[in-house]
Amino acid sequence: MADTGWPGCAKSLKGVILDLCGVLYDSGEGDGVAIPGSIEAVKRLKESDLQLRFCTNETQATREKFVAKLQRLGFGISVSEVFPPAPAAIAVLKERGLRPHLLVHDGLLPEFDAVDKTNPNCVIVGDAAENFSYQNLNEAFRVLIGLEKPVLFSLGQGRYYKETDGLKLDVGVYMKALEYACDLKAEVIGKPSPTFFQSVLSDMGLKPHEALMIGDDLVNDVGGAQHCGMKGVQVRTGKYRPSDERHPAVTADATVDNLAHAVDVILGQRGRGA
Amino acid sequence: MADTGWPGCAKSLKGVILDLCGVLYDSGEGDGVAIPGSIEAVKRLKESDLQLRFCTNETQATREKFVAKLQRLGFGISVSEVFPPAPAAIAVLKERGLRPHLLVHDGLLPEFDAVDKTNPNCVIVGDAAENFSYQNLNEAFRVLIGLEKPVLFSLGQGRYYKETDGLKLDVGVYMKALEYACDLKAEVIGKPSPTFFQSVLSDMGLKPHEALMIGDDLVNDVGGAQHCGMKGVQVRTGKYRPSDERHPAVTADATVDNLAHAVDVILGQRGRGA
């Protein structure tokens, strides 16, 4: 286990940011299933003196519906603690006076109810899953190619994820498709965008070195957090693959079996330091 | 007109290679329509002492059906003169002992009737159009990601093309999507692959400097041919855009209004030289 140097930082920590899918639960039929020990681990973090936030690239449901699912699974989590890309995207639209054409999952549409979508001057692509038809991708493409200055936002840049019935292509694949079609570079909203991590740190009122990110995605969770100056720990659950531990570009500050184990180490270390 | 230096080479030419869609005809409802003057221009080239071949990235129909369409439009063209990517791909499969999973247009499937597709060890992506569903792209992805050494062939690498009802995403966009999903580089079969142009030159028994390519696609027709040592001329029909004439990377040896005009210049120059 590559824990070297990590437990030491636990004493100076002021906040922890957790990824959700693959760390707290596995997705699949219905609500999915909680990963063993994770419900209790979240509870222990909440009872500690550490601040706690949840940072996810989930874009198949509104934040409210998504949090309701987590609550049904047994997690004591509230909407204001959860940071998904869509609300961040809406803030960017407002700031820059942009009206989106949406290529997203039906479940995410209500999030954009109050957003002006007439005469669109940008495109937002999310994990649209079955909505990634040839026709829908063509429509998004035609909006972009018709703009004098095409702007494409991508809610994450994941390659694929695992569901109970197999691997599924994620938003990043369609982001790349549109990038090539229109000869442009998308702006990623969500992990690993530094702006996205910064917004969570701001909400906690913490500096990067005071926070730790725990995720199952080596590049987007761990690498993204490290790029911002945070520590990044990978769990061996969710989309973790053994090859992650010899990745050419990203090395986690620690790799632990699961969230429960990570919380054991953090709280244990802080206990000894107190 | 940027014809400088071009008519001079016409005297030493031994063969001409023509792109089809956008040069001879415009696609759309039914068979599409012949571009004015192109039927007569092809006839004049065939009656000259120049060799003539047709080189296309068309992958929505078998070569036989495709040539039958050109004949209905009035072109005196035979199957053996036309070089599309699918037969070239089948030759590569045979050479390397590969069995493909196909993500192509229904119209192209019969071309692969005699090809062993059991237990696939590579993926071929063509311009599948409506067949580019989320489900079909996922299937191709799963085949690739499940292979120890994933091999992806792309029949062309176009971004988009124009039909009567608007712009349509082309095969290159889905090639990029699968490249990103699987972290690999596709092998392009068709223009602008040098191997593909070489196979046409071999069929004519010519060296590159003895042949001229005429196309509407600056990068794939003109740039691809030039990369092989041929001259490349762009016509202002089909997907030509005025911005092509100030492209940062590719400069055509000449840009002419249409095929009829190109043939006028070539045959006129040769007449004067004789």
Side-chain angles (χ1 to χ4, degrees):
Chain A
M1 205 178 299
D3 284 357
T4 327
W6 171 54
C9 85
K11 289 186 201 172
S12 58
L13 276 186
K14 294 187 177 170
V16 172
I17 306 175
L18 300 183
D19 176 37
L20 288 167
C21 184
V23 177
L24 267 61
Y25 72 102
D26 282 319
S27 66
E29 289 297 304
D31 290 337
V33 286
I35 291 170
S38 62
I39 294 173
E40 180 65 19
V42 169
K43 194 159 170 272
R44 290 176 65 200
L45 280 176
K46 293 200 115 181
E47 288 165 359
S48 78
D49 59 342
L50 290 165
Q51 292 205 58
L52 183 61
R53 297 291 186 278
F54 303 90
C55 189
T56 175
N57 275 4
E58 164 68 40
T59 61
Q60 288 204 354
T62 62
R63 181 155 54 164
E64 284 68 23
K65 284 214 164 178
F66 180 54
V67 170
K69 177 179 87 170
L70 294 168
Q71 291 168 346
R72 283 194 300 274
L73 285 170
F75 295 99
I77 295 179
S78 62
V79 168
S80 63
E81 295 165 322
V82 175
F83 290 77
I90 290 170
V92 171
L93 294 174
K94 195 172 286 179
E95 196 181 300
R96 289 163 58 179
L98 292 169
R99 300 175 306 277
H101 170 89
L102 301 173
L103 177 51
V104 301
H105 197 279
D106 287 345
L108 193 67
L109 286 174
E111 196 87 70
F112 291 87
D113 270 352
V115 172
D116 181 8
K117 295 176 285 287
T118 56
N119 190 19
N121 52 11
C122 71
V123 166
I124 294 182
V125 60
D127 172 17
E130 302 300 332
N131 277 350
F132 280 131
S133 64
Y134 184 61
Q135 194 188 326
N136 287 346
L137 204 66
N138 259 320
E139 253 184 65
F141 158 67
R142 287 174 190 172
V143 169
L144 282 171
I145 206 83
L147 294 172
E148 201 184 333
K149 252 192 101 177
V151 177
L152 172 63
F153 295 106
S154 186
L155 306 182
Q157 60 174 23
R159 294 169 192 269
Y160 56 88
Y161 51 89
K162 198 176 177 175
E163 290 207 335
T164 40
D165 58 339
L167 297 177
K168 300 275 177 87
L169 291 169
D170 199 359
V171 60
V173 171
Y174 291 88
M175 171 191 85
K176 286 289 170 187
L178 288 171
E179 282 187 346
Y180 181 72
C182 306
D183 198 16
L184 55 73
K185 190 102 187 86
E187 301 180 35
V188 175
I189 297 179
K191 299 175 286 186
S193 153
T195 321
F196 191 61
F197 283 115
Q198 278 299 341
S199 70
V200 185
L201 288 170
S202 298
D203 189 66
M204 295 195 284
L206 297 184
K207 299 200 181 77
H209 71 271
E210 297 170 324
L212 171 75
M213 172 80 206
I214 302 176
D216 65 329
D217 186 321
L218 185 70
V219 170
N220 293 303
D221 293 332
V222 174
Q226 289 175 333
H227 191 69
C228 288
M230 288 187 262
K231 297 281 178 189
V233 167
Q234 188 181 20
V235 286
R236 292 197 186 91
T237 52
K239 68 169 69 167
Y240 162 86
R241 300 205 297 182
S243 61
D244 288 346
E245 297 192 46
R246 40 180 200 279
H247 192 277
V250 181
T251 306
D253 290 289
T255 310
V256 297
D257 283 346
N258 51 45
L259 179 62
H261 180 72
V263 171
D264 278 349
V265 176
I266 294 169
L267 297 184
Q269 188 70 27
R270 292 174 71 81
R272 281 202 294 283
Chain B
M1 205 178 296
D3 284 358
T4 327
W6 172 53
C9 85
K11 289 185 201 172
S12 58
L13 276 186
K14 294 187 177 170
V16 172
I17 304 175
L18 301 183
D19 176 37
L20 288 167
C21 184
V23 177
L24 267 61
Y25 73 102
D26 283 319
S27 65
E29 289 296 303
D31 290 338
V33 286
I35 292 170
S38 61
I39 294 173
E40 180 65 19
V42 168
K43 195 161 170 272
R44 289 175 67 200
L45 279 177
K46 293 200 115 182
E47 289 165 359
S48 77
D49 59 342
L50 290 165
Q51 293 205 59
L52 183 61
R53 297 291 185 279
F54 303 91
C55 189
T56 174
N57 276 3
E58 164 68 40
T59 62
Q60 288 204 354
T62 62
R63 180 155 55 164
E64 284 67 23
K65 284 216 165 176
F66 180 55
V67 170
K69 176 179 88 170
L70 293 168
Q71 291 168 346
R72 283 194 301 273
L73 285 169
F75 294 100
I77 296 179
S78 62
V79 167
S80 64
E81 295 165 323
V82 176
F83 291 77
I90 290 169
V92 171
L93 294 174
K94 194 173 287 179
E95 196 182 300
R96 290 163 57 179
L98 293 169
R99 300 174 306 276
H101 171 90
L102 301 174
L103 177 51
V104 300
H105 197 278
D106 288 345
L108 193 67
L109 286 174
E111 196 86 70
F112 292 88
D113 271 351
V115 171
D116 181 8
K117 295 176 285 290
T118 56
N119 190 19
N121 52 11
C122 71
V123 166
I124 294 182
V125 59
D127 171 17
E130 301 300 333
N131 277 350
F132 280 132
S133 64
Y134 184 62
Q135 195 188 324
N136 286 347
L137 204 66
N138 259 320
E139 252 184 64
F141 158 68
R142 287 175 192 173
V143 169
L144 283 172
I145 206 82
L147 295 172
E148 201 184 333
K149 251 192 102 177
V151 177
L152 172 63
F153 295 106
S154 186
L155 305 181
Q157 60 175 23
R159 294 168 191 270
Y160 56 89
Y161 51 88
K162 197 177 178 174
E163 290 207 336
T164 40
D165 58 339
L167 297 177
K168 300 275 176 88
L169 290 170
D170 199 359
V171 60
V173 171
Y174 290 88
M175 171 190 87
K176 286 288 170 187
L178 288 172
E179 282 187 346
Y180 181 71
C182 306
D183 197 16
L184 55 74
K185 190 103 186 83
E187 300 180 36
V188 176
I189 297 180
K191 298 175 288 186
S193 152
T195 321
F196 191 61
F197 283 115
Q198 278 299 342
S199 70
V200 185
L201 288 171
S202 298
D203 189 66
M204 295 196 283
L206 297 185
K207 299 200 180 79
H209 71 272
E210 298 171 323
L212 171 76
M213 172 80 206
I214 302 176
D216 65 328
D217 186 319
L218 185 70
V219 170
N220 293 302
D221 293 332
V222 174
Q226 288 175 334
H227 191 68
C228 287
M230 290 187 260
K231 298 281 179 191
V233 167
Q234 189 181 20
V235 287
R236 292 197 186 90
T237 52
K239 69 168 69 168
Y240 162 86
R241 300 205 296 182
S243 62
D244 288 345
E245 297 192 45
R246 40 179 201 279
H247 192 277
V250 181
T251 306
D253 290 287
T255 310
V256 297
D257 283 346
N258 51 45
L259 179 63
H261 180 73
V263 171
D264 278 350
V265 176
I266 294 169
L267 298 184
Q269 188 69 26
R270 292 173 71 81
R272 281 202 293 281

